[in-house]
């Protein structure tokens, strides 16, 4: 009886591993091109959303030769909808029922896993990984020049990137980490901080868990 029970247990474990494998495989396939849409005005009607997303997938398909895993972000600024691609500088504008690229140069690979957000009708990208660096640099898209520009903040310059979120005119960076030349073992950790987007001044950002027991898991950048 015990031998039969052990065999059944092994069979259950085997099927569990198989199911987990397929679930991970399905998740990895879908995560290759997730689309995030952030609305700042009134909700867009579904009849308008359908062609917007359908055309966004066409943009995704046109970039598969450059990237294998990436995210696309839809943002609203100046009453228009824009599409950015993680890891690239492309800035697409929704015009005449299609996405028209506004970026006029051919650079990329600098801001993988960066945080995109809109402040005062300007589109920003903060931090990320690129060119063998994990950094906390802030860049802004210039509508007149149709290219990106670095924005200085704080007194000592960029210190790193971590868990980032934007709210009420402030960009909050939790547990920032940075490294250069891919020396991950020499990564530098800095205190959490907040950027006031109006003044570009930084201030300490205490971050506390409201739990009796917890574990802090660092966010790493991998080459």
């Amino acid at each position: 009886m015990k031998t039969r029970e052990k065999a059944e247990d092994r069979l259950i474990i085997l099927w569990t591993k198989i199911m987990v494998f397929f679930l991970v495989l399905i998740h990895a396939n879908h995560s290759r091109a997730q689309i995030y849409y952030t609305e700042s005005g009134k909700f867009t009607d579904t009849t308008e959303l359908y062609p917007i997303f359908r055309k966004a997938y066409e943009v995704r398909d046109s970039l598969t030769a450059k990237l294998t895993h990436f995210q696309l972000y839809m943002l609203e600024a100046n009453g228009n909808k824009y599409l950015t691609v993680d890891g690239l500088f492309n800035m697409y504008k929704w015009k005449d029922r299609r996405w028209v690229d506004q970026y006029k140069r051919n650079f990329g690979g600098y801001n993988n896993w960066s945080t995109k957000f809109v402040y005062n009708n300007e589109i920003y990208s903060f931090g990320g990984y690129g060119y063998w660096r994990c950094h906390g640099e802030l860049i802004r898209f210039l509508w007149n020049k149709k290219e990106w520009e670095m924005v200085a903040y704080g007194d000592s310059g960029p210190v790193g990137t971590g868990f980032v979120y934007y709210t009420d005119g402030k960009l909050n960076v939790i547990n920032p980490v940075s490294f250069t030349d891919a020396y991950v073992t020499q990564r530098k950790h800095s205190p959490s901080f907040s950027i006031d987007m109006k003044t570009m001044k930084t201030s300490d950002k205490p971050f506390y868990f409201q739990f009796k027991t917890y574990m802090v898991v660092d966010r790493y950048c991998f080459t």
Side-chain angles (χ1 to χ4, degrees):
M1 180 64 70
K2 291 184 178 180
T3 303
R4 180 178 177 181
E5 290 178 350
K6 290 182 178 180
E8 291 177 349
D9 290 340
R10 288 196 296 267
L11 183 60
I12 292 174
I13 294 173
L14 176 62
W15 276 108
T16 302
K17 289 182 178 181
I18 293 174
M19 291 301 296
V20 170
F21 171 77
F22 278 106
L23 287 173
V24 171
L25 186 64
I26 292 171
H27 172 74
N29 184 57
H30 282 284
S31 65
R32 291 181 65 242
Q34 295 175 327
I35 299 178
Y36 301 90
Y37 182 27
T38 302
E39 290 188 314
S40 57
K42 63 179 182 180
F43 290 125
T44 304
D45 187 82
T46 53
T47 57
E48 184 180 356
L49 281 176
Y50 177 75
I52 288 176
F53 274 83
R54 181 168 54 83
K55 290 295 183 179
Y57 281 115
E58 292 182 8
V59 172
R60 174 206 63 182
D61 294 340
S62 69
L63 297 173
T64 51
K66 294 182 179 180
L67 301 170
T68 55
H69 294 78
F70 56 92
Q71 287 78 41
L72 295 90
Y73 298 85
M74 289 188 206
L75 303 167
E76 290 185 351
N78 294 307
N80 296 308
K81 292 179 174 59
Y82 294 91
L83 178 71
T84 66
V85 183
D86 193 40
L88 296 179
F89 287 153
N90 302 71
M91 176 66 68
Y92 298 90
K93 179 180 180 180
W94 182 248
K95 184 178 180 181
D96 299 329
R97 297 183 67 80
R98 64 190 184 96
W99 290 109
V100 182
D101 196 359
Q102 305 295 297
Y103 182 61
K104 298 305 179 183
R105 307 187 75 176
N106 191 32
F107 295 110
Y110 160 84
N111 59 338
N112 296 283
W113 313 314
S114 60
T115 298
K116 286 82 170 173
F117 65 98
V118 177
Y119 169 74
N120 199 22
N121 281 320
E122 301 287 349
I123 295 180
Y124 292 83
S125 175
F126 176 84
Y129 172 82
Y131 302 139
W132 300 278
R133 296 173 58 244
C134 184
H135 60 83
E137 295 174 356
L138 179 66
I139 58 176
R140 175 183 62 190
F141 189 78
L142 301 179
W143 305 113
N144 56 341
K145 295 183 179 181
K146 296 185 177 181
E147 61 183 39
W148 293 86
E149 174 190 63
M150 189 173 296
V151 180
Y153 66 88
D155 297 326
S156 58
V159 295
T161 188
F163 174 74
V164 184
Y165 66 96
Y166 169 79
T167 179
D168 298 329
K170 290 187 176 181
L171 188 70
N172 305 290
V173 186
I174 308 301
N175 192 27
V177 62
S178 63
F179 64 82
T180 58
D181 297 329
Y183 294 132
V184 183
T185 56
Q186 299 179 15
R187 57 184 175 271
K188 178 182 178 181
H189 291 268
S190 302
S192 302
F193 66 95
S194 178
I195 304 174
D196 188 317
M197 294 301 299
K198 184 177 181 179
T199 63
M200 287 299 160
K201 293 182 178 180
T202 59
S203 58
D204 293 339
K205 178 69 176 179
F207 186 72
Y208 303 103
F209 289 94
Q210 302 298 321
F211 305 104
K212 293 181 179 179
T213 58
Y214 62 88
M215 179 176 64
V216 177
V217 180
D218 293 331
R219 172 179 175 178
Y220 296 101
C221 295
F222 299 94
T223 58

